Amino acid sequence: MHNVRVPAQTWSIAELAAEYDVTLRTIRFYEDRGLLTPERRGTVRVYHPRDRVRLGLILRGKRLGFSLDEIATIVDMYDAEPGEEGQLVYLLDQITTRRADLEQRRRDIEETLRELNEVEARCRADLQALRDRQPSRGRQTAKAVGRRADS
Amino acid sequence: MHNVRVPAQTWSIAELAAEYDVTLRTIRFYEDRGLLTPERRGTVRVYHPRDRVRLGLILRGKRLGFSLDEIATIVDMYDAEPGEEGQLVYLLDQITTRRADLEQRRRDIEETLRELNEVEARCRADLQALRDRQPSRGRQTAKAVGRRADS
DNA sequence: CTCGTACTTGACGCTTACGTAAACGTAAAG
DNA sequence: CTTTACGTTTACGTAAGCGTCAAGTACGAG
């Protein structure tokens, strides 16, 4: 089985906080919400690789705009034990839901990016026109008409 | 110029709310935050196509997890008048920032989708194994080991 | 022993994005 | 006139996601 027995590194709360650029308060808050479950040595928290990975997932979830509750269900999917059939079916259902959600977001993002490109093009054109025409004073151009969102 | 003079439809607050499936409260709140500026006929709000488009943009922004403040800057970009050079340069800068943000989100989403696919595959495999082996009772399989996020 | 550093648990505060009444206006229908 | 539908403002409530003290514990260095 080639079991290499890597020392299984651990981290303090401050180390994790520094690495992921969050505050101690935040990490403790996530624990309070059941998203992290560090070991306790006496009163002190000791974070294992598992916790570290989960923190990464949590923060990615946050970047995606999920609520902590949603993140909880997602993260728990990642390291769920196989369990019984009902559990597995439920998990598959959750996956379907999440995927639909993410694909909607992706469509939104791509649409927004396309529109940003248009706005940028208009912007550059205006800038160019402005510089061609009047190197010092600005003036309203006729091309500016009809660009507002009132079509 | 082929100016067709379309009647320029308007909507009541309830109509917009129904169409976009939000509450009246929400729409009024967006107005309070300066995101919408409907016409007033007496005391009553009258929404024009421009407002309708903006509401759509706002809601898409929300789906993407932006705050209303962020959404405000985005939406205002869409129907900004050309203005002076400084304005244009600022706008281009904003566009760059937003684009970077959105592209980060897209990467996050794609990574998450890939991982969801993996989880799903494992899940289906477990389910299959469970059904092959024990059509009635569930049992823990050896393949279940080492899947948790503690690698 | 004292200091410094890192950690702990409360507990209160704050912002965002609305929900939820309460109380009132207006205009058409019965 | 009363009801009904639809709209209005004002204002307090709330859940999420932390920030920010305050006060105490634990431990190695000097």
Side-chain angles (χ1 to χ4, degrees):
Chain A
M1 264 301 198
H2 207 75
N3 224 326
V4 186
R5 261 299 150 239
V6 48
Q9 190 176 352
T10 64
W11 292 267
S12 75
I13 190 171
E15 285 167 345
L16 268 196
E19 178 174 354
Y20 285 99
D21 194 31
V22 294
T23 67
L24 310 189
R25 179 70 178 87
T26 299
I27 293 182
R28 294 195 192 106
F29 182 71
Y30 292 162
E31 179 178 349
D32 206 54
R33 303 299 302 275
L35 291 168
L36 297 175
T37 49
E39 186 199 339
R40 291 295 183 124
R41 266 175 214 163
T43 162
V44 160
R45 292 169 174 85
V46 175
Y47 295 86
H48 292 262
R50 170 172 187 273
D51 303 302
R52 194 164 157 276
V53 170
R54 288 181 67 109
L55 181 53
L57 292 173
I58 294 167
L59 296 177
R60 193 179 65 194
K62 285 218 55 189
R63 286 199 303 274
L64 292 176
F66 286 111
S67 76
L68 289 188
D69 278 4
E70 293 173 304
I71 291 174
T73 81
I74 297 174
V75 170
D76 285 339
M77 284 177 14
Y78 281 91
D79 62 23
E81 292 291 338
E84 11 141 6
E85 175 154 346
Q87 261 291 337
L88 286 173
V89 171
Y90 173 74
L91 233 174
L92 284 170
D93 182 60
Q94 283 296 311
I95 290 173
T96 302
T97 303
R98 284 294 142 224
R99 179 151 43 208
D101 190 317
L102 288 170
E103 277 163 356
Q104 171 64 46
R105 281 163 198 258
R106 187 166 55 180
R107 280 192 297 277
D108 284 336
I109 284 177
E110 274 157 10
E111 200 173 335
T112 306
L113 281 172
R114 273 197 299 278
E115 291 172 9
L116 278 188
N117 285 338
E118 288 177 29
V119 174
E120 183 185 16
R122 270 177 9 205
C123 218
R124 292 201 185 285
D126 288 345
L127 203 53
Q128 197 54 50
L130 207 68
R131 284 172 173 160
D132 286 353
R133 196 168 320 253
Q134 293 278 358
S136 50
R137 273 179 46 221
R139 242 172 65 184
Q140 197 82 336
T141 143
K143 285 160 52 191
V145 176
R147 64 164 37 166
R148 306 187 60 139
D150 51 0
S151 75
Chain B
M1 262 300 199
H2 206 77
N3 222 325
V4 186
R5 258 300 148 241
V6 48
Q9 192 178 350
T10 64
W11 292 266
S12 75
I13 189 170
E15 286 167 345
L16 268 196
E19 178 173 353
Y20 285 100
D21 194 33
V22 294
T23 68
L24 311 189
R25 179 68 177 88
T26 299
I27 294 182
R28 294 194 192 106
F29 182 71
Y30 292 162
E31 178 178 350
D32 207 55
R33 302 300 301 275
L35 291 168
L36 296 174
T37 50
E39 186 198 339
R40 291 293 183 125
R41 266 173 212 165
T43 163
V44 159
R45 292 168 172 86
V46 175
Y47 294 86
H48 291 263
R50 172 171 185 273
D51 302 302
R52 194 165 156 276
V53 170
R54 287 181 67 108
L55 181 52
L57 293 174
I58 293 167
L59 296 177
R60 193 179 66 193
K62 284 218 58 189
R63 287 200 302 275
L64 293 176
F66 288 112
S67 76
L68 290 186
D69 277 4
E70 292 173 305
I71 291 173
T73 80
I74 297 174
V75 170
D76 285 340
M77 285 177 12
Y78 282 91
D79 62 24
E81 291 292 336
E84 12 139 4
E85 175 154 344
Q87 261 290 338
L88 286 173
V89 170
Y90 172 74
L91 232 174
L92 284 171
D93 182 59
Q94 284 294 312
I95 290 173
T96 302
T97 302
R98 284 294 142 225
R99 180 150 44 208
D101 191 319
L102 288 170
E103 277 163 356
Q104 171 63 48
R105 280 163 198 257
R106 188 167 54 181
R107 280 193 297 277
D108 283 335
I109 284 178
E110 273 157 11
E111 199 173 337
T112 306
L113 281 173
R114 274 196 299 278
E115 291 172 10
L116 278 187
N117 286 338
E118 288 177 29
V119 174
E120 183 185 16
R122 268 175 12 203
C123 219
R124 291 200 185 286
D126 288 345
L127 203 52
Q128 198 53 51
L130 208 66
R131 284 172 175 163
D132 286 352
R133 194 169 322 252
Q134 294 279 359
S136 50
R137 274 178 46 221
R139 241 172 67 186
Q140 196 83 336
T141 143
K143 284 161 53 192
V145 176
R147 65 167 35 171
R148 307 186 60 140
D150 52 0
S151 73

